[in-house]
Amino acid sequence: MTFEDTAEIASSTLQRFATAAGVTIAGEAWGTSSGIPVLFIHGGGQTRHSWKQTAQYVASHGGYRAITVDLRGHGESDYAPDGDYRLDRFVEDIADVVSQLSQPPVFVGASLGGMISILLVGEQGVSASGVVLVDVAPRLEEAGVERIFSFMQSHQGGFDSLEEAAAAVEEYLPHRKRPLDISGLEKNLRKGADGRYYWHWDHRMLGHANREKAKHEERLLAAAQSITVPVLLLRGILSDVVSKNVAAEFQEAVPHARHIDITDAAHTVAGDSNSAFTEAVLSFLQEVSTSHVK
């Protein structure tokens, strides 16, 4: 199997998920509607487009229903009218999304998306077929988390051009080779009335994130230890958020979880080494599918 083989990749359909909170969640789906759902949940400050290549490949090569969503306040989903971006609000939104799926999904969550997945499955008892945690664990390295928040806070005034935004990303992710074509970056930006480019998420979210970042560690650990379905931790080997020690702690706390390090990747695993990341996710999905058949 070769990741570059895209001949079988199907087009997507746009999705709109209503929630009890009145916030509409935007999504995109690939693959057969009867396939096992694979729900991709991005990290804070990202959008569903972070998963596009992986979602396409999973749908085309495994018969799965790959679904990517924008969290509240991100991308094309509604911004919270009351500015409420507490972790529990994200959890409630995605629980409402899952209730509209045909069968229990495999969760693939990065960073904030991984925390949501842990709480949904381990604390809220939402049915799942498996959980993939992308560079996230109950405990995170403080220095790495601070670097993320620093980046998100430093560009609230927007950018004059895509080139300026690309330069900011390049400075933040020095390990990642800058693409020759930066037009794809536009999907993570919105153009304001002033003509400047802004990240496609609600900056009010940062207030809650800063207050909550150390609050839920014990809660997340208890939830993770309650998960009984297959779990895979994919860590970027260059990550300053999930260190080798953090990964070891997680495996000790959740003995049935598997752990794979992705070479040449930092915290933004899917974007740093997408081919290796996608192959690891697809392999896990195939194992989960096989266990279901048995």
Side-chain angles (χ1 to χ4, degrees), residues 42-43 45-51 69-71 74-76 187-189 200-201:
H42 63 74
Q46 296 182 317
T47 70
R48 71 179 190 271
H49 299 294
S50 302
W51 307 109
V69 293
D70 289 329
L71 293 173
H74 295 73
E76 296 177 57
K187 290 184 177 179
N188 291 315
L189 296 161
H200 216 325
W201 49 273

Side-chain angles (χ1 to χ4, degrees), residues 1-10 30-32 36 38 52-66 278-279 281-283 285-287 289:
M1 185 182 344
T2 304
F3 179 71
E4 287 71 20
D5 177 16
T6 59
E8 299 177 44
I9 291 177
W30 289 263
T32 174
I36 295 176
V38 184
K52 182 177 179 180
Q53 286 183 300
T54 300
Q56 289 176 324
Y57 196 78
V58 161
S60 296
H61 291 76
Y64 303 98
R65 180 68 166 174
T278 301
E279 292 289 358
V281 169
L282 185 57
S283 178
L285 292 174
Q286 291 169 338
E287 291 173 14
S289 299

